[in-house]
Amino acid sequence: MAAAPSHFSGALQTTQRVTSRHPQSQTRKCWLCLQAGAPRPWILMAVDTEKACFGLYCGKTVLYSNGSNETFGECGACLRGQRTDSNSICRQCIGSPELYDWLYLGFMGMLPLILHWFFIEWYSGKKSSSALFQHITALFECTVAALITLLVNEPVGYLHIHSCGVEKLSDWYTMLYNPSPDYVNTVHCTQEAVYPLYTIVFIYYAFSLMLMMLLRPLLIKKIACGLGKSDRFKSIYAALYFFPILTVIQAVGGGLLYYAFPYIILVLSLITLAVYMSASEIETFKDLLVRKKRLVVLFSHWLVHAYGIISISRMDKLERDLPLLALVPGPTLFYLLTAKFTDPSRIRLEEGSGH
């Protein structure tokens, strides 16, 4: 960059003297050369990095960086993949997601898969041989969608992602914290402070829906010979309903789900296990061994229970948290031991006998 004109050298020397007298000041100097046809004067700008922006999420974007000297823009929303630091400067997020973040993404990834399996089982019928192939196809669709989603996020082409992390609930709802310094004009600083935990779920849902529309109709047309024409594609029609619902839930309640999903997993898995065992009239251990399908459902619920326990404990201390996994079979054992006391037919029989 060319040297400043001589009549500005005095101003530069004065600024340097003031800075040397007050080393605690974090003032940084930058030169802006404005030229449009005819030469224009050089402008000396001092940017005070200690002056924070208004609002929780407004920050200054780094326009130019040369070692310790940085040029900043005006206060506003940070770019995607950036977040403000303690000095209201937008910094690139280069950290990795924590275990709890991965567990949250796993939960959001399991929701479409579980709903796929539920509706496939619901519409396939008990005698249909196509259900197994549809279950495998749904698993393949969600797995491939998850891998593609990881590959297209930063860093592109790798199966790991950069994350800004989550500090508090408001990080998920930055649109509610746009400041109004003069109570008239609003400074819009809406951004993804929890990058990429918010948008990556939408990307995953989009790829899942795309793969389902490409693969599932062809598979059902080939192997779903045991179903009527009106029932063959009902599991796909159901997905066309629950994908928009999941998208709205993530858009509105993503932050609430982030903190509540471990408890949601435990409560729903307990309820569904109790409903399944009651509907299948499972009252003893022998009833579980009658069909292999019952064992598959039971072990699936146990895995979900373990997932919820790990999410709550976060496995910070293995010697303390690992023994908690011994509680996984607890609800099943409790149900089997108490089922004979809650049988409605037995209760009615005792009432009829006058006991």
Side-chain angles (χ1 to χ4, degrees):
M1 185 176 292
S6 59
H7 55 275
F8 277 95
S9 60
L12 176 59
Q13 294 174 359
T14 301
T15 303
Q16 292 175 341
R17 287 196 298 269
V18 172
T19 304
S20 61
R21 292 177 183 177
H22 302 279
Q24 71 276 12
S25 176
Q26 298 295 325
T27 304
R28 299 181 181 178
K29 302 176 289 300
C30 60
W31 292 94
L32 297 180
C33 180
L34 303 177
Q35 288 192 355
R40 293 190 178 186
W42 289 76
I43 302 176
L44 179 65
M45 297 181 63
V47 180
D48 189 0
T49 59
E50 288 188 347
K51 184 178 180 181
C53 298
F54 292 100
L56 292 176
Y57 301 101
C58 294
K60 305 171 187 176
T61 303
V62 179
L63 303 178
Y64 174 77
S65 177
N66 183 15
S68 60
N69 295 325
E70 292 179 325
T71 305
F72 305 99
E74 297 181 354
C75 291
C78 295
L79 300 176
R80 187 171 187 266
Q82 296 182 353
R83 180 167 179 167
T84 56
D85 59 9
S86 58
N87 295 322
S88 296
I89 307 299
C90 296
R91 300 298 184 187
Q92 193 73 27
C93 297
I94 56 175
S96 299
E98 298 179 355
L99 174 62
Y100 188 83
D101 298 335
W102 284 115
L103 292 172
Y104 166 75
L105 294 178
F107 168 73
M108 300 305 294
M110 286 191 300
L111 285 179
L113 178 60
I114 293 174
L115 291 173
H116 277 314
W117 285 349
F118 173 79
F119 286 109
I120 288 172
E121 196 68 26
W122 184 269
Y123 291 116
S124 294
K126 296 182 179 179
K127 297 182 179 180
S128 175
S129 60
S130 65
L132 177 61
F133 294 99
Q134 293 186 62
H135 286 317
I136 296 175
T137 304
L139 177 61
F140 175 78
E141 294 165 2
C142 293
T143 303
V144 173
L147 293 176
I148 295 176
T149 302
L150 293 177
L151 291 174
V152 299
N153 276 272
E154 292 292 337
V156 179
Y158 295 91
L159 291 177
H160 62 88
I161 56 178
H162 291 160
S163 174
C164 295
V166 182
E167 297 179 0
K168 48 190 174 182
L169 180 61
S170 60
D171 293 346
W172 292 84
Y173 304 101
T174 57
M175 75 289 294
L176 303 178
Y177 295 89
N178 292 325
S180 298
D182 56 359
Y183 301 99
V184 177
N185 300 312
T186 301
V187 181
H188 296 281
C189 299
T190 302
Q191 58 189 285
E192 188 181 6
V194 294
Y195 170 87
L197 301 181
Y198 187 76
T199 55
I200 196 173
V201 177
F202 300 126
I203 298 172
Y204 167 73
Y205 287 164
F207 282 121
S208 297
L209 182 61
M210 185 187 309
L211 290 172
M212 183 198 70
M213 296 303 296
L214 291 176
L215 301 178
R216 196 81 64 81
L218 298 177
L219 177 71
I220 292 179
K221 190 174 181 180
K222 291 286 186 181
I223 67 175
C225 53
L227 298 175
K229 291 183 178 180
S230 60
D231 297 332
R232 290 185 177 184
F233 300 100
K234 282 188 175 181
S235 61
I236 298 179
Y237 297 152
L240 296 179
Y241 282 97
F242 70 67
F243 266 118
I245 294 174
L246 292 177
T247 302
V248 173
I249 291 175
Q250 168 67 8
V252 177
L256 299 176
L257 285 176
Y258 178 81
Y259 290 101
F261 82 89
Y263 309 98
I264 294 175
I265 288 176
L266 287 180
V267 173
L268 291 183
S269 61
L270 290 175
I271 294 176
T272 54
L273 179 60
V275 170
Y276 175 78
M277 296 182 72
S278 177
S280 302
E281 298 182 353
I282 300 175
E283 297 182 355
T284 63
F285 293 98
K286 292 182 179 180
D287 295 335
L288 284 173
L289 303 177
V290 172
R291 296 180 182 177
K292 294 181 180 179
K293 181 180 177 181
R294 294 180 177 179
L295 292 177
V296 172
V297 173
L298 177 63
F299 289 139
S300 300
H301 278 84
W302 283 4
L303 289 176
V304 175
H305 292 168
Y307 194 93
I309 292 174
I310 293 173
S311 301
I312 292 177
S313 64
R314 304 194 183 190
M315 290 296 166
D316 294 329
K317 296 181 179 179
L318 294 180
E319 64 278 5
R320 179 197 64 188
D321 299 331
L322 278 180
L324 295 176
L325 296 179
L327 299 174
V328 169
T332 304
L333 297 176
F334 178 81
Y335 180 91
L336 294 176
L337 293 175
T338 59
K340 58 183 179 180
F341 301 109
T342 58
D343 187 1
S345 60
R346 179 175 177 174
I347 296 175
R348 287 192 296 266
L349 181 61
E350 292 180 352
E351 289 178 351
S353 61
H355 289 85

